[in-house]
């Protein structure tokens, strides 16, 4: 039986028959009806590289982000089969949809309400290799240490004044302390984490300034920085976007910015959509974003996720963002 043959729209999409797809849609075929294997018409078209059919199905309302039983979306099918055109159509659809969704969410969000209020009100618990919240979700884990070392290297590359948002286990801050820098400001909002910082002597370090509070509330106390790293917990893309919008005021013109890139890290395609979205949105602030690819498979083993509610990382590669003002912006400023 050919692919998707029990669902005519699946079959036409798999075979790239554009006019049949259009006829079926006109006749009222359900654009979301998947076949017995759980694969939708959009996934069939993507898997077989029929970019035009992918476009038609998206226009007809096929959700770009629907997943099959294994959690794979149409973009994953296009990527796995190296169909660049279909992949690009889906990537653009994903970015556009998320831009619109973000604008809608910003409209409905109540001003001043913390996204992660319940986390900040709960207790956290430290152990040797992790920091956990009350729901057994990991706030921070030691497997990220090589990534934190790489982030520290990026933001400390020119020394100077460094800002880190989110102390967690202090891994990135310990790495930052290994560089010759002028000052090191740390923002931390959780009372237990702050207590830990005090108990472990961070307040006595000569070049360290601790700001206890949410970054949203302590922004007026900040200066300008040569390196900025952002890694909070329980916040969403919209919060990261809000922080990014302060960069023109916080980051020196030659400075480097990076953030923990854990957006949608349970699906390769969704993750890529967000990598591109952040690149686009930072671009509108005159900031370029490059991603350094770091393999992370070897950072984890079977034991790593034992006792943890949500495995927040599922990808083989970490895309470490390196962000800086584009040369045009820096030149304009120097003139
Ligand atoms: C993932 S951990 C940071 C891990 C850190 N990069 C490290 O190397 O250990 C996130 C930290 O951000 C803090 N945090 C969460 N929301 C915050 C906010 N709005 N402002 C400041 N800190 C926040 C959390 O309490 C937590 O300590």
């Amino acid at each position: 039986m050919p692919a998707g043959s029990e669902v005519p729209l699946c079959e036409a999409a798999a075979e790239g028959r554009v006019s049949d797809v259009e006829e079926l849609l006109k006749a009222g075929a359900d654009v979301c009806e998947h076949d017995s294997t759980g694969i939708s018409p959009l996934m069939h078209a993507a898997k077989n590289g029929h970019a035009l059919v992918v476009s038609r199905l998206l226009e007809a309302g096929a959700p770009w982000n629907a997943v099959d039983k294994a959690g794979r979306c149409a973009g994953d099918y296009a990527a796995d089969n190296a169909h660049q055109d279909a992949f690009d159509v889906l990537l653009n659809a994903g970015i556009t949809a998320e831009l619109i969704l973000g604008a809608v969410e910003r409209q409905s969000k109540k001003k001043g309400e913390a996204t992660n209020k319940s986390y900040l009100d709960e207790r956290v618990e430290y152990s040797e290799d992790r920091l956990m919240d009350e729901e057994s979700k990991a706030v921070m884990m030691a497997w990220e240490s090589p990534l934190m070392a790489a982030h520290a290297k990026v933001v400390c590359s020119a020394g100077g004044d460094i800002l880190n948002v989110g102390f967690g286990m202090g891994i990135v801050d310990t790495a930052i302390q290994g560089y010759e820098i002028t000052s090191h400001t740390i923002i931390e909002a959780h009372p237990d984490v702050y207590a830990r910082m005090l108990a472990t002597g961070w307040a006595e370090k000569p070049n360290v300034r601790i700001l206890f509070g949410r970054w949203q509330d302590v922004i007026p106390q900040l200066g300008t920085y040569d390196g900025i790293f952002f890694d909070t917990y329980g916040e969403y893309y919209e919060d990261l976007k809000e922080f990014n919008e302060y960069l023109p005021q916080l980051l020196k013109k030659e400075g480097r910015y990076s953030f923990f890139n854990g957006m949608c890290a349970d699906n390769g395609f969704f993750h890529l959509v967000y990598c591109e979205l952040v690149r686009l949105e930072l671009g509108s602030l005159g900031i370029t974003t490059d991603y350094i690819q770091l393999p992370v498979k070897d950072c984890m083993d079977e034991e790593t996720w034992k006792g943890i509610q949500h495995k927040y990382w599922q990808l083989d590669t970490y895309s470490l963002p390196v962000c800086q003002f584009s040369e045009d912006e820096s030149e304009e400023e120097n003139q």
Side-chain angles (χ1 to χ4, degrees), residues 2-320:
S5 61
E6 78 278 21
V7 178
L9 188 58
C10 285
E11 191 179 6
E15 290 171 5
R17 290 186 268 114
V18 185
S19 50
D20 287 352
V21 166
E22 283 170 347
E23 282 305 313
L24 285 161
L25 290 171
K26 250 190 239 157
D30 177 1
V31 77
C32 297
E33 188 181 358
H34 49 73
D35 65 17
S36 53
T37 62
I39 302 184
S40 69
L42 189 68
M43 292 170 198
H44 275 294
K47 184 178 175 188
N48 292 288
H50 303 306
L52 201 54
V53 176
V54 168
S55 296
R56 292 285 187 279
L57 292 168
L58 289 167
E59 281 158 21
W64 71 275
N65 55 355
V67 292
D68 65 11
K69 290 172 189 161
R72 295 164 74 237
C73 65
D76 293 319
Y77 278 96
D80 291 353
N81 294 284
H83 293 309
Q84 191 64 44
D85 289 353
F87 181 86
D88 289 344
V89 172
L90 286 157
L91 186 61
N92 281 331
I95 294 171
T96 309
E98 293 309 289
L99 278 171
I100 296 167
L101 193 72
V104 173
E105 270 175 17
R106 282 191 291 284
Q107 292 272 321
S108 58
K109 193 182 168 192
K110 287 190 202 132
K111 267 244 163 308
E113 190 182 84
T115 319
N116 57 1
K117 185 178 181 317
S118 59
Y119 157 71
L120 294 174
D121 289 343
E122 285 170 3
R123 305 306 307 260
V124 294
E125 203 180 306
Y126 281 93
S127 58
E128 203 186 314
D129 67 342
R130 55 186 71 172
L131 168 61
M132 304 285 280
D133 72 8
E134 273 187 2
E135 280 134 44
S136 300
K137 290 196 191 127
V139 177
M140 181 63 187
M141 298 179 75
W143 72 263
E144 288 183 36
S145 296
L147 306 183
M148 292 299 133
H151 279 293
K153 189 173 174 191
V154 165
V155 299
C156 296
S157 60
D161 300 304
I162 309 298
L163 169 67
N164 174 44
V165 185
F167 180 79
M169 294 172 73
I171 299 173
V172 81
D173 288 299
T174 303
I176 289 169
Q177 282 285 305
Y179 289 88
E180 269 188 39
I181 56 169
T182 314
S183 74
H184 180 179
T185 302
I186 308 170
I187 306 176
E188 174 53 51
H190 198 292
D192 294 353
V193 178
Y194 176 59
R196 174 85 166 197
M197 293 176 80
L198 298 184
T200 49
W202 280 85
E204 279 87 56
K205 293 192 194 288
N207 58 356
V208 169
R209 175 187 183 209
I210 302 173
L211 293 173
F212 173 47
R214 295 170 63 230
W215 63 263
Q216 293 87 341
D217 299 329
V218 303
I219 289 266
Q221 299 173 50
L222 298 177
T224 56
Y225 300 91
D226 298 278
I228 301 179
F229 180 58
F230 182 91
D231 179 13
T232 63
Y233 175 74
E235 298 192 324
Y236 296 108
Y237 176 73
E238 287 306 311
D239 301 289
L240 173 69
K241 179 179 157 60
E242 192 182 326
F243 180 79
N244 289 350
E245 282 161 6
Y246 286 104
L247 290 172
Q249 111 187 24
L250 297 177
L251 187 64
K252 291 185 192 170
K253 286 297 157 192
E254 307 290 333
R256 293 268 195 100
Y257 168 60
S258 193
F259 57 90
F260 177 68
N261 190 0
M263 303 176 292
C264 299
D266 48 6
N267 176 289
F269 187 72
F270 297 163
H271 182 63
L272 190 68
V273 166
Y274 271 86
C275 286
E276 290 309 310
L277 188 64
V278 81
R279 196 205 294 271
L280 198 76
E281 295 195 314
L282 282 171
S284 72
L285 301 170
I287 296 170
T288 60
T289 305
D290 294 309
Y291 291 103
I292 301 174
Q293 302 299 325
L294 299 175
V296 286
K297 245 185 176 174
D298 296 342
C299 298
M300 299 163 228
D301 58 30
E302 276 171 23
E303 292 297 299
T304 306
W305 299 99
K306 253 199 181 147
I308 287 177
Q309 270 291 331
H310 171 63
K311 186 176 174 186
Y312 63 84
W313 190 271
Q314 312 245 3
L315 310 175
D316 291 344
T317 308
Y318 181 73
S319 299
L320 186 145

